[in-house]
Amino acid sequence: MLGNNDIILEMINITKTFPGVKALNNVNLQVQQGEIHSLCGENGAGKSTLMKVLSGIYPYGSYEGAILYNRKECKYKTVKDSEADGIVIIHQELALSPYLSIGENIFIGNEIASHGVIDWHEVRTRTQELLKKVGLNEDPDTIVNTLSVGKQQLIEIAKALSKNVKLLILDEPTASLNEDDSEHLLDLMLELKKQGITCILISHKLNEVSKVCDSITILRDGASIETLDASGGRIPEDRIVKGMVGRELSDRYPKRTPKIGDVLFEVKDWNVYNPEYPDRKKVDNVNINVRKGEVVGIAGLMGAGRTELAMSIFGKTYGANISGTLIKEGKEINIKTVKDAIDAGIAYVTEDRKDAGLNLIDDIRHNITIASLNKISNKGVINEQVEILAAEEFRKSMNIKSPSILQLTGNLSGGNQQKVILSRWIYAEPDLLILDEPTRGIDVGAKYEIYTIINDLVAQGKAVIVISSELPEVLGISDRIYIMNEGKMIGELDIKDATQEVIMSKIVTAKNKEAE
């Protein structure tokens, strides 16, 4: 570690209160010049809140405590104020405008102009220089929504570099990235470090934290617990987890003794085409089944067609020219809408909880009951007392950290939002639950709770399909695994025969065949 003279940032006794909740309680943080410093903690621990205080999103006067940046006290009222000092935050939800070009996005709000006229030639030239720094070779005029999430994340960093960033805050930057894009982004952080840029990294992926960070500050329940020095070598993930949850978490995946019954659900000869490009097949002649009491994992790289498969089954919410057969308990079923799927006892938890899963401007109560209004109403009139009791029961049983079921879901942490979606579909009492990236962007403690919920469901004889990009997760919770690539099912493994190496080998072999 560097000496105290090299401290670039010090946050002293930061306390931030929301109605009914103390989000930060006398938090202290010291960051050294030129280091990569990680903030770790469970969902709701206060990591993002602390960074919003630092960057002026929560302005001076709305919190208690002091911020010293380069040994000077800061009283930021807006994000513009912090950016003027070289502090730039990149949020988990990308803030790019999808219909503008790369160049327009990088310089929006910071336009290169003279007398109100933008110098587009200079915009293009500067954009090309910045893209080169982050390892992209795109045309500055490329519209952002045509690019992958990984490339958009790098454009966010290029945008930060355009503001002469000195302290870069990255909030879950790899949550939506595949392994290659994540690796590239981590390498870029190490390169920025060489250039003297200080980084603060918020991440639930502890292997990434261990790989790149010099220091790790752990928050728990809104308080700073400890700072670990990683400059001498990697800190074991179990040590970080212990600080986060306050105890040893010896097994990341709760034990379960499978009691697998008859086949509950089958998909036969299933084909789905891209609705925007009807000649492109996204799901190609897929055949799968899942039994009562069984967890079936679907592994594959991003873009393999797993989400498209799940959404097309769930009331044809994705796809065109869908063909094939769905069979439940030996009988063919016809599902044309989401209501048909719910009535047939099928539920789907989307990978995109913020945009497609939750109504963020409504409360926990309504988000839980929205798919089961028939259970809380009589002749079209909702019985509010029944609704409140149901929502309150789930708030307690699912350990949703909130002072009330009337709290807006948009104010919850990612893990608690995920529990609200799970509560919704468990309340609907499905026979088959399809979970798409159920633990993306949430911490190890919340993950364990969700795995326990999955175990409880299959113990009741329900069937669960889990789609996950994290191979350890698929291996840790599944009884059987399908492997998907380029819209096709290329393998099926019993869990006793499955390893990361076997799964990746099958994917690589399939990709090589596609390339021939």
Side-chain angles (χ1 to χ4, degrees):
M1 291 288 286
L2 303 172
N4 286 341
N5 291 337
D6 297 304
I7 293 173
I8 188 174
L9 171 71
E10 192 167 8
M11 301 184 76
I12 305 166
N13 298 330
I14 302 295
T15 298
K16 172 67 178 171
T17 304
F18 296 104
V21 180
K22 185 171 275 191
L24 298 172
N25 187 10
N26 285 317
V27 171
N28 291 280
L29 173 69
Q30 283 189 351
V31 178
Q32 306 280 359
Q33 169 70 48
E35 74 168 344
I36 300 176
H37 193 115
S38 177
L39 283 181
C40 289
E42 296 187 87
N43 287 98
K47 307 179 299 293
S48 296
T49 303
L50 185 66
M51 291 300 96
K52 287 176 180 177
V53 166
L54 170 59
S55 59
I57 294 172
Y58 297 140
Y60 178 75
S62 69
Y63 60 88
E64 298 170 35
I67 299 171
L68 301 180
Y69 180 65
N70 284 327
R71 300 185 210 136
K72 293 180 182 176
E73 185 171 1
C74 304
K75 299 180 179 180
Y76 300 134
K77 289 286 189 180
T78 67
V79 174
K80 278 277 189 186
D81 294 340
S82 62
E83 287 182 350
D85 276 350
I87 301 173
V88 181
I89 185 169
I90 297 175
H91 299 281
Q92 184 176 351
E93 287 78 33
L94 297 176
L96 300 174
S97 180
Y99 301 108
L100 295 181
S101 70
I102 296 173
E104 288 169 323
N105 266 287
I106 285 177
F107 290 102
I108 192 168
N110 190 29
E111 289 81 4
I112 302 172
S114 177
H115 305 295
V117 179
I118 293 174
D119 185 340
W120 290 110
H121 175 74
E122 186 63 18
V123 168
R124 283 179 56 84
T125 301
R126 290 277 305 279
T127 299
Q128 284 173 329
E129 292 171 357
L130 291 164
L131 292 179
K132 190 174 180 181
K133 284 185 178 180
V134 298
L136 285 178
N137 191 31
E138 308 297 322
D139 187 312
D141 294 330
T142 302
I143 302 301
V144 158
N145 68 2
T146 64
L147 299 171
S148 69
V149 177
K151 288 183 177 179
Q152 290 186 39
Q153 191 69 267
L154 295 175
I155 290 166
E156 284 273 26
I157 294 176
K159 185 175 179 178
L161 295 176
S162 76
K163 297 171 182 174
N164 297 317
V165 62
K166 297 180 180 67
L167 174 59
L168 179 63
I169 305 161
L170 300 111
D171 191 350
E172 295 288 352
T174 64
S176 301
L177 303 188
N178 62 34
E179 205 165 307
D180 287 344
D181 285 342
S182 296
E183 198 70 24
H184 181 55
L185 192 140
L186 294 174
D187 289 341
L188 177 59
M189 287 179 65
L190 293 169
E191 183 58 37
L192 294 175
K193 175 184 169 182
K194 289 179 186 175
Q195 297 171 22
I197 294 174
T198 307
C199 292
I200 297 176
L201 171 66
I202 298 174
S203 179
H204 291 305
K205 296 183 178 179
L206 300 185
N207 60 321
E208 297 179 354
V209 170
S210 297
K211 177 181 177 179
V212 301
C213 290
D214 303 295
S215 303
I216 302 166
T217 293
I218 296 172
L219 301 185
R220 190 194 316 146
D221 297 329
S224 43
I225 302 300
E226 59 183 337
T227 295
L228 306 174
D229 181 359
S231 59
R234 286 194 178 196
I235 294 175
E237 289 180 35
D238 288 346
R239 174 66 185 85
I240 303 171
V241 170
K242 182 181 178 182
M244 288 169 57
V245 302
R247 65 188 190 282
E248 299 280 357
L249 199 60
S250 56
D251 196 337
R252 304 277 181 92
Y253 305 99
K255 292 286 186 280
R256 171 170 58 89
T257 302
K259 294 180 181 177
I260 297 172
D262 297 331
V263 172
L264 174 83
F265 184 73
E266 294 178 80
V267 179
K268 289 190 172 181
D269 305 322
W270 198 252
N271 294 281
V272 180
Y273 288 82
N274 188 320
E276 295 178 8
Y277 304 96
D279 59 329
R280 296 184 188 175
K281 190 180 275 193
K282 298 295 289 185
V283 177
D284 192 351
N285 206 43
V286 161
N287 291 273
I288 63 170
N289 64 69
V290 58
R291 294 172 171 81
K292 294 177 181 178
E294 183 180 36
V295 179
V296 169
I298 302 181
L301 303 178
M302 286 179 70
R306 298 165 302 162
T307 294
E308 290 83 354
L309 170 64
M311 291 180 67
S312 63
I313 291 169
F314 186 63
K316 298 184 177 178
T317 47
Y318 173 88
N321 300 323
I322 299 172
S323 63
T325 306
L326 302 178
I327 299 170
K328 186 176 176 222
E329 296 185 288
K331 295 179 182 178
E332 184 175 342
I333 56 175
N334 187 18
I335 297 176
K336 294 181 179 178
T337 67
V338 169
K339 185 179 184 304
D340 291 342
I342 295 171
D343 291 344
I346 298 171
Y348 168 65
V349 175
T350 173
E351 64 176 338
D352 186 357
R353 59 177 171 259
K354 289 188 182 293
D355 286 343
L358 291 167
N359 181 353
L360 297 177
I361 59 172
D362 205 348
D363 59 34
I364 294 171
R365 170 191 52 173
H366 291 149
N367 272 281
I368 288 175
T369 60
I370 188 66
S372 307
L373 295 179
N374 60 312
K375 295 177 72 172
I376 59 168
S377 61
N378 183 25
K379 297 180 180 179
V381 179
I382 290 175
N383 184 327
E384 289 194 7
Q385 187 63 28
V386 173
E387 182 181 40
I388 288 168
L389 288 172
E392 188 60 45
E393 184 180 329
F394 275 104
R395 185 179 77 89
K396 290 176 181 175
S397 65
M398 300 286 276
N399 194 24
I400 298 169
K401 292 177 182 175
S402 162
S404 163
I405 57 170
L406 302 180
Q407 183 165 359
L408 298 183
T409 53
N411 292 336
L412 299 176
S413 66
N416 287 305
Q417 288 177 349
Q418 196 72 355
K419 290 177 190 175
V420 171
I421 298 178
L422 282 168
S423 299
R424 173 194 300 165
W425 292 116
I426 293 170
Y427 187 47
E429 298 183 281
D431 301 312
L432 169 67
L433 183 60
I434 305 172
L435 304 173
D436 196 350
E437 303 287 0
T439 65
R440 173 178 287 168
I442 64 176
D443 62 78
V444 288
K447 283 183 179 182
Y448 191 91
E449 290 179 309
I450 287 171
Y451 300 147
T452 302
I453 292 164
I454 292 170
N455 287 356
D456 290 344
L457 290 170
V458 292
Q460 298 167 27
K462 299 181 186 297
V464 176
I465 295 174
V466 176
I467 296 166
S468 177
S469 298
E470 295 187 29
L471 288 182
E473 178 170 85
V474 175
L475 292 164
I477 64 175
S478 303
D479 300 303
R480 189 160 49 95
I481 297 172
Y482 286 104
I483 306 165
M484 196 167 185
N485 181 68
E486 299 290 343
K488 298 184 178 73
M489 285 299 172
I490 59 168
E492 179 184 349
L493 297 169
D494 190 272
I495 194 61
K496 68 178 185 297
D497 304 317
T499 65
Q500 291 192 53
E501 291 75 19
V502 169
I503 292 170
M504 286 309 300
S505 174
K506 287 185 178 292
I507 292 172
V508 170
T509 300
K511 285 196 172 295
N512 289 340
K513 284 182 180 177
E514 290 280 342
E516 287 176 2

